[in-house]
Amino acid sequence: MVWVTAQLSGTTEHGLVRRSVVTVVSLPERGALALSDGWDRFWNGYVDLADKAAQNRLLLEEIRRKDAELNRHREILSENERLKKLLDIKTTLAAPPMAAEVIGRNPSNWFNTLTINRGSDEGVTRDMAVISSSGVVGRVVTVYAGTSRVLLLTDPSSAIAATVQRSRENCILKGQVGSACEIKYLSQDADIKEGDVLVSSGLDGIFPKGIEVARVTVIDRSGSKYFLSVKAAPVADIRRIEEVLLMAGKAGD
Amino acid sequence: MELSLHGNRYRWLIAIALFLVPLQGTLLDISVAGQLRPDMALVAVYVAGFVLTPFRATLLGFLAGLLVDFLSGAALGISAFSKMLAGMLAASGRRILFLNRALAHSAMLFVLSCIDGFVTSLFLVYFYEGYFFTTAMAGMIIIQAAYTALAGTIIIIAADPAIALMRKIRGWLDKEQTNAVSGI
């Protein structure tokens, strides 16, 4: 009773003892706690990991599905943009155009033609102008019942009446072997330079006036005495065209 | 590399190569160096030169060229004539050269393609407006010949193991069918 009373009254000096005992006893306690915590962490981590691996697999599958969906949406968006551009051109043209899809290309390397999915059944006729959202593509040369063949502007048999947009010089744009174009009948003193844009002049009666055709790439003034030798590249991406517009009738303003 | 030259396999090759001609402008629209494609009709004609008589190979060349003319929209006879010539040369060539190596096939295809390209260009320059003998045209003939030689040789090399595999699968399927019928 005396001992207890003394402790409670604080008159005896037991702090040091208590502290010492507690310190000594706490060491194994801490060790045990550390072990226990370590085991808990390990066990939870293992179970968690297995769980996370399963979740990971599910999430990866989800990501793959979403990627595929995203690619589909991108494709739809891209098609939408192309069709909107075509629609913009459609609304600025006087005559009602007809849309068509490219379904094939020429198997021979000597001719540059496309096959489209519109034919005489849908009112396609020979010499209809074919344009894309970027510019002139070519003209219809052969018409079948359900398909037609388009002669590209890069074909050596193709010739388009064009005008240099900047200087209004008239010229003829002819295709060349190797899918390039050449500008003919420009005199040596013609006002033309590299980078100039050529637009259809409408003088051939096939293409409406003012549609972009090609861009000047190389000018050689050292050849003929009278005419320039000028190379040009089509503005339309002939390799990747998928949709085109067909125009009928005479060219006008 | 030794290649076998047995009849049946090459009949398959002819049929496959001819089948690939219309596909060249659609599913097989692959190209290198400015939209050039290998000439599958010429590969068919070349292969025909190994199994057919010179007359028949010439006739097949004519028909293959006609097919190309139909599909390309060219005047009928341009490719027909040049392929006919290629067929005749291919059939005559195999009797002269001992062709059982991949390099020889490539060289022969290259030469035939150059001849085909040159003859076609003659017709085009004479009959069509806008075609002239230029360095671009010569370059196109050479590159097309190289591409045709490469593609044709790969097809010929791949044909043997492919046909062997098909026979194996067919043999396995026949065996399964026999087992099914006999109740095993």
Side-chain angles (χ1 to χ4, degrees):
Chain A
M1 277 188 68
V2 169
W3 185 258
V4 170
T5 308
Q7 282 180 88
L8 292 173
S9 65
T11 55
T12 57
E13 185 52 53
H14 295 291
L16 179 63
V17 173
R18 189 185 291 277
R19 278 200 301 276
S20 304
V21 169
V22 166
T23 304
V24 168
V25 170
S26 75
L27 287 174
E29 271 186 342
R30 282 181 197 182
L33 188 65
L35 271 175
S36 167
D37 280 350
W39 174 253
D40 279 344
R41 272 198 303 274
F42 169 77
W43 181 250
N44 290 338
Y46 172 75
V47 169
D48 206 35
L49 197 63
D51 189 42
K52 287 282 184 293
Q55 258 186 32
N56 200 30
R57 270 196 304 275
L58 288 171
L59 286 170
L60 276 174
E61 268 172 37
E62 184 72 14
I63 287 172
R64 279 189 205 108
R65 249 199 341 268
K66 293 286 184 206
D67 266 344
E69 215 174 294
L70 186 65
N71 279 337
R72 274 198 305 276
H73 288 153
R74 277 197 192 117
E75 184 56 32
I76 290 169
L77 193 68
S78 164
E79 192 184 6
N80 194 27
E81 290 298 317
R82 287 198 307 271
L83 291 172
K84 266 164 70 175
K85 278 186 191 167
L86 273 179
L87 195 62
D88 279 343
I89 294 181
K90 206 170 162 176
T91 53
T92 60
L93 296 171
M98 185 193 313
E101 272 185 284
V102 175
I103 58 173
R105 291 173 193 274
N106 201 308
S108 166
N109 288 320
W110 292 101
F111 303 97
N112 289 327
T113 62
L114 298 174
T115 305
I116 58 175
N117 64 347
R118 295 271 186 263
S120 54
D121 288 350
E122 282 114 336
V124 176
T125 55
R126 204 163 178 273
D127 285 338
M128 283 179 86
V130 180
I131 62 176
S132 72
S133 55
S134 317
V136 167
V137 170
R139 63 185 172 91
V140 175
V141 288
T142 316
V143 183
Y144 303 103
T147 58
S148 301
R149 185 172 289 124
V150 174
L151 185 74
L152 295 174
L153 76 166
T154 50
D155 190 277
S157 301
S158 168
I160 297 175
T163 303
V164 180
Q165 191 176 45
R166 182 182 54 84
S167 61
R168 313 312 298 177
E169 294 270 3
N170 282 325
C171 57
I172 302 286
L173 185 77
K174 281 190 69 66
Q176 276 191 313
V177 168
S179 303
C181 295
E182 191 182 10
I183 300 172
K184 301 286 243 184
Y185 311 120
L186 268 181
S187 59
Q188 281 282 349
D189 59 356
D191 182 8
I192 186 167
K193 54 185 183 183
E194 286 175 15
D196 274 344
V197 172
L198 297 170
V199 295
S200 52
S201 63
L203 296 175
D204 50 18
I206 295 175
F207 297 95
K209 189 176 174 181
I211 300 181
E212 282 192 12
V213 182
R215 196 175 294 272
V216 175
T217 52
V218 176
I219 300 176
D220 181 8
R221 296 178 189 273
S222 60
S224 160
K225 202 166 138 184
Y226 303 107
F227 297 115
L228 288 175
S229 169
V230 184
K231 303 276 185 259
V235 290
D237 189 355
I238 305 288
R239 275 300 290 153
R240 293 183 176 83
I241 287 176
E242 294 178 24
E243 297 92 14
V244 293
L245 286 178
L246 283 77
M247 294 282 311
K250 280 186 180 177
D253 282 355
Chain B
M1 179 191 219
E2 296 264 343
L3 300 172
S4 58
L5 298 172
H6 299 302
N8 259 341
R9 292 172 186 176
Y10 285 86
R11 289 192 179 97
W12 273 106
L13 276 175
I14 295 166
I16 289 167
L18 281 176
F19 177 67
L20 289 174
V21 169
L23 288 187
Q24 270 186 192
T26 52
L27 296 177
L28 293 182
D29 190 26
I30 52 173
S31 64
V32 70
Q35 304 180 34
L36 293 180
R37 303 175 190 87
D39 192 346
M40 300 313 298
L42 185 73
V43 172
V45 166
Y46 172 71
V47 169
F50 283 99
V51 293
L52 300 175
T53 60
F55 173 74
R56 286 183 181 175
T58 308
L59 184 61
L60 182 71
F62 176 79
L63 292 173
L66 209 57
L67 177 65
V68 172
D69 285 334
F70 271 117
L71 295 173
S72 66
L76 296 180
I78 291 179
S79 291
F81 180 78
S82 60
K83 298 284 185 293
M84 185 178 73
L85 194 62
M88 189 179 73
L89 289 171
S92 306
R94 67 162 174 156
R95 295 177 195 285
I96 299 165
L97 301 167
F98 187 58
L99 291 175
N100 62 349
R101 299 201 184 277
L103 194 57
H105 284 304
S106 296
M108 191 67 173
L109 273 169
F110 182 85
V111 168
L112 286 177
S113 184
C114 284
I115 292 171
D116 173 69
F118 180 68
V119 170
T120 305
S121 64
L122 274 177
F123 274 102
L124 292 174
V125 166
Y126 187 77
F127 288 110
Y128 279 74
E129 207 181 303
Y131 286 87
F132 304 99
F133 281 121
T134 57
T135 48
M137 190 182 265
M140 196 180 103
I141 292 172
I142 302 283
I143 294 171
Q144 182 181 305
Y147 199 12
T148 302
L150 179 67
T153 307
I154 289 172
I155 288 171
I156 292 170
I157 291 171
D160 272 351
I163 292 171
L165 181 65
M166 279 193 302
R167 283 197 177 145
K168 210 181 229 182
I169 293 171
R170 189 178 161 186
W172 176 78
L173 287 172
D174 284 344
K175 195 178 166 188
E176 287 292 310
Q177 198 175 10
T178 309
N179 288 343
V181 165
S182 56
I184 297 172

